[in-house]
Amino acid sequence: TNDVLDKFSLVQARIQNNRLEVPMEIDGKTYWFLFDTGASIFPLQTHRSLWDSLRLSAPIDSFQVPSWGKMVDVFSAPMKYSIRLGTLQLPRDKIYYVDAPETTEYFKSIGLSGLTGNAYFLENTVLIDYKNKRFGVLRPGKRL
């Protein structure tokens, strides 16, 4: 019902190949990210050139994760800018880059800047409206 929807900060999303894509505003520009519930460890993962332009400093951490059937290097650095999802201000967190050409090519081939996962929304209630192509987060102070 509309009473419930009014409690959420909603954004118009896109659905491509049955996958949800959400717009995030960073430094006044809109970037599209795949919302991947399997990407829980990464608040925001992107390709090298965007990572370079959005990170605050040199990498602060690196580790390996499995990707596309092999182990790949992952680098993280503090985010230079704040991020908005509609009217919701997301916490400024780390931004991640996965050193895997397959991943970069995949994102480019479907017109995405990267992916986001559960990490940004662990303390929130998320609404995914596939029918109307919307993604939302329960507004602070609101209850269902």
Side-chain angles (χ1 to χ4, degrees):
T1 69
N2 282 342
D3 291 342
V4 171
L5 293 179
D6 289 342
K7 296 179 179 185
F8 283 83
S9 175
L10 294 166
V11 294
Q12 205 57 49
R14 301 187 306 206
I15 297 176
Q16 186 174 191
N17 298 322
N18 293 321
R19 296 182 176 160
L20 186 71
E21 302 171 357
V22 296
M24 293 187 167
E25 185 181 314
I26 305 170
D27 192 31
K29 184 175 179 186
T30 300
Y31 298 90
W32 287 87
F33 291 89
L34 177 69
F35 182 72
D36 181 1
T37 58
S40 301
I41 192 171
F42 303 118
L44 201 62
Q45 175 190 330
T46 191
H47 53 83
R48 178 67 189 252
S49 61
L50 185 56
W51 181 75
D52 281 338
S53 70
L54 299 179
R55 64 186 170 98
L56 186 59
S57 61
I60 58 167
D61 199 10
S62 65
F63 50 95
Q64 289 193 320
V65 299
S67 176
W68 301 80
K70 64 180 182 178
M71 296 302 285
V72 297
D73 293 320
V74 177
F75 302 93
S76 71
M79 188 67 177
K80 187 187 302 186
Y81 305 103
S82 59
I83 301 173
R84 297 191 71 75
L85 178 71
T87 60
L88 183 68
Q89 179 77 43
L90 296 175
R92 188 178 300 181
D93 206 327
K94 296 176 192 167
I95 187 165
Y96 293 82
Y97 157 63
V98 176
D99 189 14
E102 301 87 357
T103 303
T104 299
E105 288 307 313
Y106 173 71
F107 290 146
K108 286 182 181 177
S109 74
I110 60 174
L112 293 177
S113 297
L115 62 84
T116 188
N118 300 332
Y120 266 135
F121 309 105
L122 293 175
E123 303 297 321
N124 303 96
T125 300
V126 172
L127 179 139
I128 299 174
D129 180 356
Y130 277 99
K131 181 179 177 184
N132 297 302
K133 299 179 183 174
R134 293 184 295 188
F135 180 86
V137 178
L138 190 64
R139 295 178 195 274
K142 300 291 183 179
R143 296 180 53 177
L144 293 178

